[in-house]
Amino acid sequence: MNPLRLDRLNIALLAIAGLGLVSGLALLLGGQPHLATLAWTAGVAPVLAALVVEIVRSLAKGDVGLDIVAALSMSAALLVGETLAAAVVALMYSGGTFLESFAEGRARREMTDLLSRVPRTATRKRGGALEDAPLDEIEPGDLLLIRQGDIAPVDGTVENDRAMIDQSALTGESMPVRLERGQEVMSGSTNAGDVFDLRASRRATNSTYAGIVRLVEAAQQSKAPMARLADRYSLLFLAVTLALATAAWWFTGDPIRAVAVLVVATPCPLILAVPVALVAGLSRAAHFGVLIKGAKPLESLARIRTLILDKTGTLTDGRPQVVSIHTLGALTEDEVLSFAAALDQASKHPIAQAIVAAARARGAVLPLPEQIVETAGDGVTGIINGRRVVVGGAGFVASQIDAAEPEGAIRDAGSVVVALAVDGKLMGHLVMADALRAGIADLLAGLRRLGIRRILLATGDRRAVAEAVTAGLRLDAIRADLTPDEKVGVVLAERANGPVMMVGDGVNDAPALAAADIGVAMGARGAAASAEAADVVLLVDQLGRLLPGIDIAQRSRRIALESVVVGIGLSILGMVAAALGYLTPVQGALLQELIDVAVILNALRALRIVPEQAGRPASAAAEASSG
């Protein structure tokens, strides 16, 4: 049934049950007990009919649940003349159903908010004019105007000198991030600063936000193993309830005691506690930039004991960085970097762009290069401030200045050396490497505190490179020189020791992500194979988001278990008291409603989870970006 229609039906049934109960009480106080009985029966009948229809539908699908107990309790109360008790049960059941709908709606709000932010049109610059274009007409390369407060409709890059972007709806990071020209903007981000131009890099259907929407929709349809376990326990609880009610009637000869047992028994602790707590956990994780594709992955995430990490783009930034500068002539380190960066402005090679970024990070003002000649894959020559400059590989630079390539290359495992020559003389070397992400050691320590016993590296790189990059991290094992198939083998071998989580970011990681109990993809690119294969997607390129994600999963699962154990325990105590004659059917129904409300409110505690590690890496990144 349509969710809106279902909500309206629940409200209508609650209103009918409430009106019937109140009308009957008024008639009883007015000295009309027969009319009071009719009013109570009239309030119960629609609720009971709707419940029977729902039970029949469930049985047709092979589902046997605790709704049967509620139907039996209302039917038995009517049969033995306890119409007031039946009216109370009808009100409590319809109220519990409404409360379930409200609680799940509240728990899903974070994810629903994501869906409601999808823009329908974009302001496109074309032919010197502005036009409102439907989102599905935006093509890569289109230039879009993003006004203050607008939401980026597609993924793209900043075309102005800078832009202030609020990514809080996607990542939970409260501080706006300053982006420079050419840096990427995720669709779904909000312009928190001045108007800027966005160069579309993807169609809307392939953008970050579209990927998030697909993942959210899939997450909302899932069912956790704990919920299925609760379904199995519900059969046991149903059997215990019927046995206790039958025994109370058999040994006392009083059917009222059997009715009292039935009205105390309730489906709420098992039916409501688990989904409400787990959906609340999904919602809370989304608030911190961790999109979990459903209740089943959330529960699995809470039980992870082994973590396998990819290297490039996961443990490392996946981008070359300047790690050291060696001077050979009269230039300082900053001057070597500035000359190299000024010329490399003309190249789109990742290493050239990394050198430019490093120079700008040091505050260098880069002059425009002239007479540029780029030899693809080797290097660039040109004129900087009237001086002839050559940047590139050591062999390329040596050939350009008619010199022999220097002996004794300055490099570590996994590094790349870029040479610089000015006016025909070798002036220095820049050593480039794919460095570890900041705070990795602290992150791994935090993961171990959350119960992860084994942490491994699985990479296609050479062992020497893997060992050099991870030196000092105290990993339990390093698996190097792996093909994608061999990564899958590592995952399967580790599963023998307990649930395994695999974290990766590339297409080559997709098979291993799918093979793991939990696959985690870095970034939510709509068309990325790794994001499609993963169970969890980190909405920003920050490995540190694993900490709040796992913490929220563990605490949500704990809250669900607490709710079930306490709710069922109190229900069983209430049933025993009713069987022994200490509770009337009306008293039992009122007691059970208190238990139901307490259980649901406890499950909603998952919405208030604040992980200890929440946002620490993100905040640091935001400060660095905005500084």
Side-chain angles (χ1 to χ4, degrees):
M1 184 182 292
N2 181 282
L4 181 59
R5 291 183 179 179
L6 186 59
D7 286 343
R8 289 176 177 173
L9 176 62
N10 290 336
I11 293 172
L13 292 175
L14 177 60
I16 291 170
L19 181 62
L21 179 60
V22 172
S23 300
L25 290 173
L27 289 168
L28 182 64
L29 292 174
Q32 301 290 333
H34 296 297
L35 292 178
T37 299
L38 289 176
W40 288 329
T41 303
V44 172
V47 177
L48 181 57
L51 180 55
V52 169
V53 170
E54 184 61 32
I55 290 172
V56 170
R57 286 177 176 172
S58 297
L59 291 175
K61 294 186 292 185
D63 296 333
V64 180
L66 287 174
D67 284 348
I68 294 174
V69 176
L72 286 175
S73 64
M74 280 186 268
S75 302
L78 290 175
L79 286 174
V80 301
E82 288 284 340
T83 51
L84 175 57
V88 172
V89 172
L91 179 64
M92 299 311 176
Y93 180 79
S94 57
T97 303
F98 174 77
L99 186 57
E100 174 190 14
S101 176
F102 169 80
E104 288 211 6
R106 174 71 178 85
R108 294 184 191 275
R109 185 175 301 170
E110 298 281 357
M111 292 193 291
T112 304
D113 286 348
L114 284 175
L115 300 182
S116 67
R117 290 171 51 83
V118 179
R120 304 295 179 214
T121 62
T123 303
R124 179 168 56 189
K125 290 185 174 183
R126 175 172 286 183
L130 297 178
E131 61 179 17
D132 286 335
L135 208 58
D136 57 4
E137 291 184 7
I138 302 301
E139 298 287 343
D142 284 351
L143 190 62
L144 309 179
L145 181 71
I146 310 297
R147 300 179 179 90
Q148 186 174 34
D150 281 357
I151 296 170
V154 296
D155 289 345
T157 55
V158 177
E159 287 293 298
N160 301 76
D161 290 337
R162 63 178 56 85
M164 291 296 294
I165 301 298
D166 178 2
Q167 301 179 135
S168 58
L170 301 175
T171 68
E173 175 53 58
S174 59
M175 295 296 294
V177 177
R178 188 177 73 185
L179 300 181
E180 307 292 340
R181 181 185 295 272
Q183 289 190 283
E184 187 165 322
V185 177
M186 288 194 297
S187 54
S189 302
T190 302
N191 180 11
D194 296 333
V195 176
F196 72 92
D197 291 335
L198 179 77
R199 182 72 65 182
S201 58
R202 295 181 181 85
R203 292 180 56 85
T205 53
N206 293 329
S207 287
T208 297
Y209 210 80
I212 293 172
V213 169
R214 289 195 294 271
L215 298 181
V216 169
E217 290 172 343
Q220 292 180 337
Q221 304 301 319
S222 66
K223 192 171 187 180
M226 188 187 295
R228 290 195 292 270
L229 183 64
D231 290 342
R232 291 197 293 272
Y233 281 149
S234 68
L235 294 175
L236 176 60
F237 186 74
L238 175 61
V240 170
T241 299
L242 294 177
L244 197 54
T246 302
W249 189 359
W250 180 269
F251 289 108
T252 66
D254 184 4
I256 302 299
R257 291 201 183 186
V259 173
V261 171
L262 290 174
V263 299
V264 171
T266 178
C268 287
L270 277 173
I271 288 179
L272 304 185
V274 171
V276 167
L278 296 185
V279 171
L282 293 175
S283 175
R284 198 62 180 152
H287 177 77
F288 288 98
V290 182
L291 193 60
I292 303 173
K293 294 184 182 180
K296 179 181 178 181
L298 180 120
E299 189 180 347
S300 298
L301 186 61
R303 299 183 294 108
I304 290 300
R305 293 296 175 266
T306 299
L307 170 64
I308 300 175
L309 294 165
D310 175 48
K311 183 182 76 67
T312 305
T314 302
L315 202 60
T316 66
D317 282 321
R319 294 167 294 186
Q321 298 179 24
V322 177
V323 295
S324 64
I325 300 173
H326 302 269
T327 63
L328 299 174
L331 300 182
T332 65
E333 289 187 8
D334 285 346
E335 288 171 332
V336 167
L337 180 60
S338 295
F339 269 110
L343 185 55
D344 272 337
Q345 291 178 100
S347 174
K348 290 297 183 181
H349 193 282
I351 290 178
Q353 292 301 300
I355 292 173
V356 173
R360 286 177 174 164
R362 295 194 184 192
V365 178
L366 303 179
L368 292 177
E370 300 173 350
Q371 301 179 27
I372 305 152
V373 177
E374 181 173 7
T375 303
D378 288 329
V380 186
T381 65
I383 303 297
I384 303 294
N385 289 337
R387 306 180 72 176
R388 184 173 183 271
V389 178
V390 184
V391 176
F396 172 77
V397 172
S399 68
Q400 293 293 312
I401 62 175
D402 296 324
E405 183 175 347
E407 298 180 1
I410 309 168
R411 70 177 66 199
D412 297 319
S415 66
V416 173
V417 176
V418 176
L420 170 74
V422 179
D423 293 333
K425 295 182 179 180
L426 189 63
M427 289 293 181
H429 293 98
L430 297 91
V431 180
M432 314 287 294
D434 183 11
L436 279 177
R437 292 176 181 267
I440 286 294
D442 290 340
L443 168 63
L444 299 185
L447 290 170
R448 292 190 189 275
R449 286 194 297 271
L450 289 175
I452 294 181
R453 293 190 292 262
R454 282 177 57 78
I455 301 178
L456 300 85
L457 177 70
T459 178
D461 269 352
R462 294 175 289 117
R463 172 165 289 276
V465 174
E467 290 178 345
V469 169
T470 60
L473 290 185
R474 299 181 180 178
L475 298 175
D476 293 289
I478 295 175
R479 305 283 188 262
D481 299 302
L482 299 177
T483 64
D485 288 346
E486 289 171 337
K487 283 188 179 182
V488 173
V490 171
V491 170
L492 296 178
E494 289 296 328
R495 288 183 69 179
N497 301 319
V500 173
M501 176 166 64
M502 170 73 190
V503 185
D505 76 321
V507 173
N508 63 324
D509 296 319
L513 295 177
D517 295 277
I518 287 290
V520 180
M522 301 286 294
R525 299 293 173 241
S530 56
E532 296 294 334
D535 304 291
V536 178
V537 178
L538 306 183
L539 297 185
V540 288
D541 192 27
Q542 296 171 3
L543 191 59
R545 291 302 170 103
L546 281 177
L547 289 173
I550 295 174
D551 193 5
I552 289 169
Q554 291 178 346
R555 290 162 71 176
S556 298
R557 185 174 185 271
R558 192 179 308 126
I559 287 171
L561 286 172
E562 288 171 356
S563 298
V564 169
V565 171
V566 172
I568 295 302
L570 291 175
S571 296
I572 290 175
L573 290 176
M575 286 191 293
V576 171
L580 296 176
Y582 293 112
L583 290 175
T584 66
V586 174
Q587 291 170 337
L590 293 173
L591 172 65
Q592 193 53 66
E593 181 60 16
L594 292 176
I595 296 173
D596 293 349
V597 171
V599 163
I600 292 175
L601 291 178
N602 184 66
L604 283 173
R605 284 172 47 222
L607 281 174
R608 299 195 302 273
I609 294 174
V610 179
E612 294 179 7
Q613 306 86 357
R616 206 177 298 165
S619 297
E623 290 170 7
S625 298
S626 60

